[in-house]
């Protein structure tokens, strides 16, 4: 949790600008007081060569703050969902039962699936009904996730708990040199920030700025655990980090400055491990780290203020908004056991990944991301009980806001395309596309850093930045159902920054 004195220090540093801050932190406790919860592993049941999963979306309650119960949403539990584990090449069938008391959807974020199984806003699961998608796992091993994708309500439903992790296995991700024992040396970390009311309930969107910046909170949860600690029993640990926050970008590092090996991004293993001391993770991005704890020293995983040199810093008048990724947070206390089982060393090569070439592309598209400011800022699907602060959408792609009746792009199956993303706003937008994975070509004409050279489905686009990626649209064709693309700051998505495309 951010300390009040840290809040005042930051507020004072921005020179007389009026700043809206968080309410005082509730029920503060010493950091690292709660054992990290490991989401239960749901491997499904193999029946007739089909791996079957049963999910129930439900309401619940959970104690995040001492003495207070928080009403929550969950999947097979009170908050968040189990980790789904599946293997490349196998057919899976999912039964998603909605007992939430309101409509929802369930999107398999990062998976290459036919559009009828994608779980976007067209695939509404009404209360009391069951949705049963089936598909074959067609991509390389890696870390994906699943979450609500209900039109205009994604932000609120994810905020209350409708999300979980997906692990896809293949021969490379399970090789002996990589930590892969779930809950022991292969640890899922779903990092989220949340704000609470005095009665312990979640404080969701309540003012215009919560939509303009996206919803930020002052309390960090990891797998739903506040103030968590983890005790390694091996010299190396693989952390599968998912930024499950609605809007916050984390600059992840260790409190003693130790380095770590980045072995995977959104779409799976990198060609080789990349040694780093910090990594930025925007909403919906994933990264897999292998960290060496052989010295036995306790250390904290932290989030640092975004570097002044980062291209993802906000610009213009939005630069002075306190909540734009400039706080320091403790994320996870790590306390190695006194006796550690020795882990294998990482291999020099993790995977052989062929990169798509620009000459492979037959179409180039440009998408401009923009947002309204000031009095024109609307609030659609954010304020409760139908209240709004405007009548029009506030976020746009190519000057258009999301319309379920409009197909914005038309892609031909089998084509390789280059999508150029131009950010014409004062803040970073993490752009996500459904259907599959892409490769980043360049940022402002320069090649991406090594840890972004793998497969991705979400990419940061800083203010004023131009990012190009290349993607092959293969295997699935459908002239009736659309895939989505959107900003993954969920309040931006809910208020217009989303579009649709056919693949035929």
């Amino acid at each position: 949790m951010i300390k009040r004195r840290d809040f005042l220090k930051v507020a004072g540093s921005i020179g007389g600008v009026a700043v809206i801050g968080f309410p005082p932190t509730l029920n503060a406790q010493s950091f690292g007081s709660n054992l990290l919860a490991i989401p239960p592993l749901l491997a499904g049941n193999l029946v007739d060569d089909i791996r079957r999963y049963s999910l129930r979306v439900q309401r619940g309650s959970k104690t995040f703050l001492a003495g207070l119960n928080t009403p929550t949403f969950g999947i097979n539990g009170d908050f968040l969902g189990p980790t789904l584990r599946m293997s490349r090449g196998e057919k899976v069938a999912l039964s998603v039962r909605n007992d939430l008391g309101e409509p929802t959807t369930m999107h398999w974020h990062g998976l290459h699936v036919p559009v009828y199984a994608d779980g976007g806003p067209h695939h509404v699961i009404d209360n009391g009904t069951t949705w049963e998608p089936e598909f074959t796992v067609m991509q390389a091993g890696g870390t994906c996730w699943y979450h609500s994708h209900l039109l205009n309500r994604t932000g609120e439903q994810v905020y209350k708990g409708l999300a979980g992790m997906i692990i896809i296995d293949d021969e490379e991700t399970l090789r002996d040199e990589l930590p892969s024992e779930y809950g022991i040396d292969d640890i899922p970390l779903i990092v989220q920030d949340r704000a609470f009311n005095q009665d312990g309930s979640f404080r969701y969107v309540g003012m215009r700025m919560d939509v303009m910046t996206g919803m930020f909170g002052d309390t960090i949860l990891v797998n739903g655990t506040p103030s968590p600690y983890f005790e390694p029993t091996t010299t190396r640990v693989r952390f599968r980090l998912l930024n499950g926050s609605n809007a916050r970008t984390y600059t992840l590092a260790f409190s003693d400055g130790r380095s770590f090996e980045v072995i995977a991004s959104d779409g799976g293993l990198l060609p080789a491990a990349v040694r780093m001391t910090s990594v930025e993770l925007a909403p919906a991005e994933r990264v897999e780290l292998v960290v060496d704890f052989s010295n036995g020293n306790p250390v904290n995983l932290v989030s640092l203020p975004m570097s002044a040199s980062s291209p993802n810093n906000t610009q213009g008048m939005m630069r002075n908004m306190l909540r734009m990724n400039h706080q320091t947070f403790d994320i996870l206390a790590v306390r190695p056991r006194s006796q550690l089982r020795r882990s294998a060393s990482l291999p020099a090569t993790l995977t052989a990944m062929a990169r798509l070439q620009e000459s492979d592309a037959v179409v180039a598209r440009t998408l401009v991301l923009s947002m309204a400011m000031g009095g024109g800022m609307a609030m659609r699907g954010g304020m409760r009980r139908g209240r709004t602060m405007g009548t029009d959408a506030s976020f746009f792609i190519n000057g258009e806001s999301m319309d379920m009746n409009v197909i914005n792009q038309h892609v031909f199956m089998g084509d390789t395309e280059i999508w150029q993303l131009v950010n014409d706003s004062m803040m970073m937008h993490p752009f996500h596309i459904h259907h599959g994975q892409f490769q980043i070509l360049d940022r402002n004409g320069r090649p991406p850093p090594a840890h972004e050279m793998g497969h991705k489905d979400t990419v940061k686009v800083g203010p004023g930045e131009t990012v190009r990626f290349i993607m092959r649209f293969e295997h699935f064709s459908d002239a009736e159902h659309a895939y989505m693309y959107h900003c993954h700051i969920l309040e931006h998505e809910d208020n217009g920054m989303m579009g649709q495309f056919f693949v035929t």
Side-chain angles (χ1 to χ4, degrees):
M1 296 183 182
I2 188 169
K3 296 181 175 62
R4 184 167 177 80
R5 64 175 177 272
D6 295 331
F7 169 84
L8 294 172
K9 184 185 299 182
V10 176
S13 71
I14 59 178
V17 177
V19 174
I20 300 176
F22 293 115
T25 298
L26 302 175
N27 293 278
Q29 54 186 320
S30 60
F31 180 66
S33 55
N34 298 312
L35 179 66
L36 175 71
I38 303 296
L41 188 64
L42 187 61
N45 297 312
L46 194 61
V47 180
D48 298 329
D49 293 325
I50 300 176
R51 192 164 297 279
R52 299 184 179 276
Y53 302 84
S54 181
L55 301 177
R56 178 173 177 259
V57 184
Q58 61 194 65
R59 290 178 182 260
S61 66
K62 188 174 175 64
T63 301
F64 299 105
L65 308 174
L68 296 173
N69 286 330
T70 302
T72 57
F73 291 172
I75 305 158
N76 292 10
D78 289 336
F79 185 74
L80 299 180
T83 297
L84 308 184
R85 193 156 204 164
M86 54 192 68
S87 296
R88 184 178 188 178
E90 68 181 1
K91 187 173 183 179
V92 302
L94 298 108
S95 173
V96 185
R97 167 75 183 183
N98 181 9
D99 289 326
L100 197 61
E102 61 184 63
T104 191
T105 76
M106 198 58 64
H107 168 53
W108 320 110
H109 183 120
L111 269 64
H112 179 49
V113 298
V115 67
Y116 61 78
D118 181 64
H122 289 282
H123 306 129
V124 176
I125 314 170
D126 289 324
N127 181 57
T129 66
T130 300
W131 181 50
E132 297 181 320
E134 296 187 8
F135 53 84
T136 298
V137 181
M138 302 184 69
Q139 66 213 74
T143 303
C144 296
W145 63 307
Y146 60 105
H147 59 80
S148 166
H149 210 308
L150 188 65
L151 185 69
N152 300 338
R153 295 287 304 282
T154 298
E156 181 183 18
Q157 290 196 346
V158 172
Y159 201 82
K160 290 183 176 180
L162 293 192
M165 188 172 284
I166 300 174
I167 295 176
I168 300 173
D169 295 322
D170 64 15
E171 290 182 357
E172 290 183 320
T173 60
L174 290 176
R175 62 203 296 183
D176 290 341
E177 299 94 332
L178 296 181
S180 57
E181 190 174 354
Y182 185 81
I184 304 299
D185 62 359
D186 187 350
I187 308 299
L189 299 179
I190 304 174
V191 183
Q192 299 170 305
D193 61 333
R194 295 292 183 262
F196 293 88
N197 296 310
Q198 291 292 334
D199 63 359
S201 61
F202 287 125
R203 186 187 75 79
Y204 189 57
V205 168
M207 60 181 121
R208 179 182 299 159
M209 194 170 73
D210 292 334
V211 173
M212 181 165 60
T213 65
M215 186 66 202
F216 282 68
D218 62 344
T219 300
I220 299 296
L221 305 176
V222 183
N223 301 342
T225 309
S227 190
Y229 72 89
F230 171 70
E231 296 181 337
T233 58
T234 58
T235 56
R236 287 186 174 89
V237 174
R238 177 190 203 162
F239 289 125
R240 298 177 186 261
L241 279 147
L242 158 64
N243 183 347
S245 296
N246 283 35
R248 184 180 295 279
T249 293
Y250 299 95
T251 302
L252 296 166
F254 285 92
S255 55
D256 61 0
R258 72 178 63 190
S259 62
F260 47 80
E261 305 283 351
V262 179
I263 64 168
S265 56
D266 301 343
L269 293 173
L270 297 171
V274 180
R275 182 171 292 276
M276 303 180 72
T277 56
S278 67
V279 61
E280 279 187 4
L281 204 64
E285 286 190 303
R286 286 89 66 206
V287 68
E288 295 182 29
L289 315 178
V290 174
V291 189
D292 191 335
F293 297 109
S294 57
N295 65 11
N297 295 333
V299 66
N300 289 348
L301 177 66
V302 300
S303 181
L304 302 173
M306 187 176 285
S307 168
S309 62
S310 172
N312 300 309
N313 277 301
T314 52
Q315 303 295 325
M317 71 179 190
M318 292 191 73
R319 185 191 296 272
N320 296 320
M321 292 184 178
L322 174 65
R323 288 186 273 188
M324 300 303 290
N325 304 314
H326 290 285
Q327 292 108 331
T328 298
F329 287 97
D330 288 318
I331 304 295
L332 176 69
V334 184
R335 302 165 185 162
R337 297 277 180 87
S338 58
Q339 299 294 321
L340 298 176
R341 173 163 51 93
R342 182 162 296 280
S343 308
S345 298
L346 293 178
T349 300
L350 297 173
T351 188
M353 191 187 80
R355 288 196 64 83
L356 297 172
Q357 302 300 311
E358 283 195 55
S359 58
D360 298 331
V362 297
V363 173
R365 302 176 190 271
T366 297
L367 277 65
V368 179
L369 314 178
S370 60
M371 52 191 286
M373 298 296 294
M377 172 66 66
M379 186 177 292
R380 187 178 67 192
M383 294 292 282
R384 304 282 59 81
R385 299 184 181 88
R387 292 177 291 152
T388 65
M389 299 182 87
T391 57
D392 301 311
S394 306
F395 301 89
F396 312 95
I397 300 178
N398 286 352
E400 299 175 317
S401 61
M402 174 61 188
D403 185 335
M404 291 281 276
N405 298 310
V406 173
I407 303 301
N408 306 93
Q409 310 290 336
H410 193 132
V411 175
F412 291 104
M413 188 182 74
D415 279 1
T416 298
E417 297 196 357
I418 292 174
W419 287 35
Q420 177 174 269
L421 309 174
V422 179
N423 187 346
D424 191 29
S425 76
M426 291 184 286
M427 64 178 292
M428 183 272 292
H429 299 285
F431 181 90
H432 170 57
I433 185 171
H434 296 206
H435 183 278
Q437 301 286 326
F438 56 76
Q439 296 170 0
I440 302 173
L441 285 174
D442 48 50
R443 293 179 171 278
N444 294 328
R446 295 183 294 274
H451 70 283
E452 286 192 325
M453 291 292 284
H455 289 107
K456 297 275 291 172
D457 56 60
T458 306
V459 60
K460 297 181 286 288
V461 188
E465 194 171 32
T466 296
V467 175
R468 295 192 309 152
F469 68 75
I470 188 167
M471 182 170 176
R472 181 170 292 147
F473 295 87
E474 53 189 348
H475 301 127
F476 307 123
S477 175
D478 194 318
E480 297 182 1
H481 303 93
Y483 290 102
M484 318 304 293
Y485 55 84
H486 55 87
C487 175
H488 221 285
I489 292 176
L490 297 182
E491 289 68 39
H492 294 184
E493 171 196 323
D494 281 343
N495 286 272
M497 193 174 281
M498 182 160 61
Q500 305 185 89
F501 65 100
F502 276 159
V503 179
T504 59

